Amino acid sequence: MEWSHYSYALFDAFQQTNANIVVQASPGAGKTTNIKHLWTLDNRATVYLVFNKHNQLEAETKMPAKAGSAIKTLNGLGSSILYNTVGRSTLDKSKVNNIVRDMLREPHSRRYQSKADQEREFALIQAVNKAKMLALSNIFEFADYKAMVSLYDMNEYPGMYDHVCQALLASDNNVDVIDFNDQIRFPAIFDLHMPQFHNVLVDEAQDLSPVQALMVSKLQADRYVFVGDKRQSIYAFRGAMSDSMDYLKAEFNAVELPLSITYRCAKAIVNEAAKIWPGDIEAWEESCDGSVTFHNSDSGPVKYTGDVIILCRTNAPLIKLAYELLRNGTPCHVRGRDIGEGLVRLVNQQDAPNIRTLIDCLSQWREIEIAKAVKREDDDKVQSIEDKYESVMLFCSKCKLNGDPQIVIDSINDLFEQGRGVCLSTVHKAKGLEAESVYLLEAELFDLFKSKARQMYQTVQEKNIKYVAVTRAKSQLIYM
């Protein structure tokens, strides 16, 4: 590896000082390679916290073993803390669902009393799961609850705040059964015995939630190094802090160092990214020129060959294009199993006997939910409803009206099964991906969402989403 002057500055700060460090790493800047080198520079106990299990397994094969050190996901670290402190707990991802059902359903009832009861239960489950990532104690203040409902575009019903607090307390009081959020939450909010490390290295730091940051801080290490990119912060809707990097810099009194040179993106791609966030990314001097072009329908159909990703801001255009590709004999899939699960859940909620009735129910659902969102002046929710509605209707349009809705469900599951043919993805699902050629489908949607943003953080997130989309490309970026 031929290190840049930015890397040398980072290594010097790591070896010659004991300061906490926040590293702003551009897309394709080799942040993981730099972290692995930091690992080798200090033989003292170090924990390297990575984004997911795949990253953990990869790092374990490439990084030398060190006494008293570990490579873990945040959940893996939290789980080991719980096991060493309170013993083995039962992992149940339905923990919150069960608590909510016991609160809202009639005793011994397995069915919803009405569609409104079903929607209320689902809204409460979502709210409690988000609260577990945000509330830094057993007490969830009303102002924080209202901010959460607004920030995460949640459906709300009268009395929901009291129900959230009740369910949150019930969850926090049960350490015998845990879910994935508890693996982070319990070490963060309870006075548990924490492992000691000299160094804590945190990857993808821009995506930390408040509870994750609190758990990391309780490790009480001698030094923290947080590596991420505030321009790739696009998961605020999931619970990540929209200003995580700035928060960590202030909270840990850290010095900020850049890794600005991208070894992934061609010079034309870098210039395009710099139009979104000037001064944050630099091209490697040996990179190829690359290209940024525009394709319109008058130019004929696109032939997607080679190393390709097709990205869009929303799902419906991707599903429409996927059907066109499949019809023309081009294998493809839409990335995002959980997106497919959300569409399946919407179909199941209608409880329709056939597809004709399903279409009618979906139209009613769309009308009711949009009216609620418009009343709250929630443009993001309106767009989300429209995207879900249009996506499911695309599947319905391929089926006979007297057919079973299970046909729609099977079609959804099939298209969102990953690994076959050309990859189509929303930008949120493309994080960590790259390709020689990236196509941005209905590119005007990026500017449309930005223009609809009501709060400053929303505007920043929308710019970040486009930035992430552009920087997935190695050599060719094509707007469509």
Side-chain angles (χ1 to χ4, degrees):
M1 178 71 183
E2 184 177 335
W3 302 112
S4 70
H5 62 283
Y6 294 120
S7 293
Y8 282 122
L10 170 60
F11 303 154
D12 287 345
F14 187 79
Q15 288 185 291
Q16 298 175 16
T17 77
N18 208 37
N20 295 329
I21 303 170
V22 165
V23 182
Q24 293 283 359
S26 296
K31 64 180 178 63
T32 305
T33 304
N34 279 266
I35 292 174
K36 290 176 181 177
H37 189 64
L38 294 179
W39 175 274
T40 67
L41 292 179
D42 192 335
N43 288 326
R44 288 173 289 187
T46 301
V47 62
Y48 175 26
L49 298 175
V50 297
F51 184 65
N52 56 35
K53 191 68 175 179
H54 172 77
N55 297 138
Q56 179 187 0
L57 295 174
E58 182 182 28
E60 286 174 343
T61 63
K62 296 182 178 180
M63 297 169 72
K66 292 200 304 183
S69 300
I71 301 170
K72 290 182 176 291
T73 64
L74 285 164
N75 282 83
L77 175 63
S79 179
S80 64
I81 293 169
L82 280 173
Y83 180 79
N84 292 329
T85 307
V86 301
R88 186 178 298 276
S89 301
T90 300
L91 180 62
D92 184 358
K93 64 181 182 180
S94 299
K95 177 181 178 179
V96 169
N97 300 44
N98 295 332
I99 291 172
V100 168
R101 286 167 184 165
D102 288 342
M103 287 175 52
L104 297 185
R105 292 189 187 181
E106 294 294 328
H108 311 298
S109 173
R110 293 186 178 182
R111 297 184 60 84
Y112 302 108
Q113 299 300 309
S114 66
K115 184 178 290 188
D117 290 336
Q118 178 183 8
E119 292 175 352
R120 184 173 67 157
E121 183 174 302
F122 182 67
L124 182 56
I125 290 171
Q126 283 190 310
V128 175
N129 281 322
K130 278 291 191 295
K132 290 175 74 167
M133 292 188 286
L134 301 174
L136 301 184
S137 72
N138 293 106
I139 300 172
F140 195 33
E141 299 292 346
F142 183 71
D144 295 330
Y145 160 80
K146 294 301 291 185
M148 177 187 75
V149 169
S150 173
L151 181 62
Y152 298 115
D153 186 24
M154 292 181 172
N155 291 327
E156 188 180 12
Y157 61 82
M160 192 165 90
Y161 169 65
D162 291 335
H163 285 165
V164 170
C165 292
Q166 182 181 341
L168 182 64
L169 186 60
S171 178
D172 285 346
N173 285 341
N174 184 0
V175 298
D176 294 325
V177 177
I178 63 172
D179 58 19
F180 293 114
N181 283 331
D182 290 334
Q183 291 176 337
I184 306 293
R185 179 169 178 78
F186 286 171
I189 70 170
F190 295 140
D191 189 20
L192 303 182
H193 177 71
M194 306 294 282
Q196 300 296 306
F197 299 97
H198 181 75
N199 300 306
V200 176
L201 309 178
V202 184
D203 198 6
E204 301 290 355
Q206 77 279 349
D207 295 328
L208 290 184
S209 72
V211 170
Q212 288 173 330
L214 180 61
M215 184 187 76
V216 171
S217 72
K218 289 200 170 185
L219 296 174
Q220 298 178 344
D222 295 316
R223 173 171 52 202
Y224 291 87
V225 180
F226 299 97
V227 184
D229 182 2
K230 63 183 178 182
R231 304 311 185 194
Q232 295 189 71
S233 172
I234 61 175
Y235 291 133
F237 71 97
R238 282 188 183 174
M241 294 181 286
S242 60
D243 60 347
S244 176
M245 299 298 283
D246 292 335
Y247 171 86
L248 294 169
K249 180 181 177 181
E251 187 71 14
F252 289 83
N253 190 29
V255 297
E256 181 176 327
L257 296 173
L259 283 176
S260 301
I261 298 174
T262 176
Y263 301 94
R264 172 198 300 163
C265 301
K267 293 173 182 176
I269 310 299
V270 170
N271 291 337
E272 191 70 9
K275 294 178 183 177
I276 305 168
W277 288 117
D280 285 345
I281 185 170
E282 300 175 25
W284 184 35
E285 60 183 10
E286 297 184 28
S287 292
C288 66
D289 291 335
S291 63
V292 177
T293 57
F294 297 83
H295 178 88
N296 57 56
S297 57
D298 296 335
S299 304
V302 178
K303 293 184 178 180
Y304 302 100
T305 58
D307 185 18
V308 169
I309 299 175
I310 304 170
L311 300 179
C312 188
R313 181 61 180 81
T314 58
N315 282 291
L318 293 171
I319 295 169
K320 181 179 179 181
L321 177 58
Y323 272 120
E324 293 178 8
L325 293 176
L326 292 171
R327 188 166 56 247
N328 294 329
T330 303
C332 66
H333 68 278
V334 179
R335 186 177 174 87
R337 192 179 300 276
D338 58 333
I339 296 173
E341 290 172 352
L343 298 180
V344 167
R345 187 165 53 246
L346 177 58
V347 172
N348 283 329
Q349 286 173 352
Q350 309 314 309
D351 197 22
N354 53 55
I355 292 174
R356 178 183 284 105
T357 306
L358 173 61
I359 291 172
D360 292 340
C361 290
L362 287 169
S363 297
Q364 294 175 18
W365 169 83
R366 172 183 174 274
E367 183 178 346
I368 292 170
E369 294 302 316
I370 285 182
K372 292 178 184 176
V374 170
K375 186 176 181 180
R376 297 197 305 267
E377 297 185 346
D378 194 339
D379 291 336
D380 286 346
K381 184 65 175 178
V382 171
Q383 184 58 54
S384 174
I385 294 165
E386 292 284 16
D387 191 30
K388 289 180 181 178
Y389 173 76
E390 292 173 9
S391 295
V392 177
M393 290 300 289
L394 281 166
F395 288 102
C396 291
S397 68
K398 308 299 178 181
C399 305
K400 295 181 179 179
L401 292 178
N402 60 354
D404 192 316
Q406 185 62 41
I407 300 172
V408 175
I409 292 172
D410 292 342
S411 298
I412 293 171
N413 288 333
D414 187 55
L415 191 59
F416 281 90
E417 183 179 337
Q418 295 180 18
R420 297 178 300 168
V422 176
C423 176
L424 297 89
S425 176
T426 62
V427 182
H428 286 98
K429 290 298 176 182
K431 190 80 176 295
L433 299 182
E434 59 182 36
E436 288 296 334
S437 301
V438 170
Y439 292 81
L440 298 190
L441 183 61
E442 298 197 13
E444 65 276 5
L445 288 174
F446 292 99
D447 294 326
L448 175 63
F449 272 75
K450 188 172 71 173
S451 67
K452 287 185 175 181
R454 290 179 175 272
Q455 301 182 41
M456 179 57 69
Y457 88 89
Q458 293 173 319
T459 300
V460 171
Q461 289 269 301
E462 289 303 324
K463 291 178 68 175
N464 288 352
I465 290 169
K466 187 174 183 181
Y467 182 83
V468 169
V470 167
T471 55
R472 298 312 91 192
K474 293 183 179 180
S475 58
Q476 289 185 306
L477 178 69
I478 304 98
Y479 288 98
M480 300 174 66

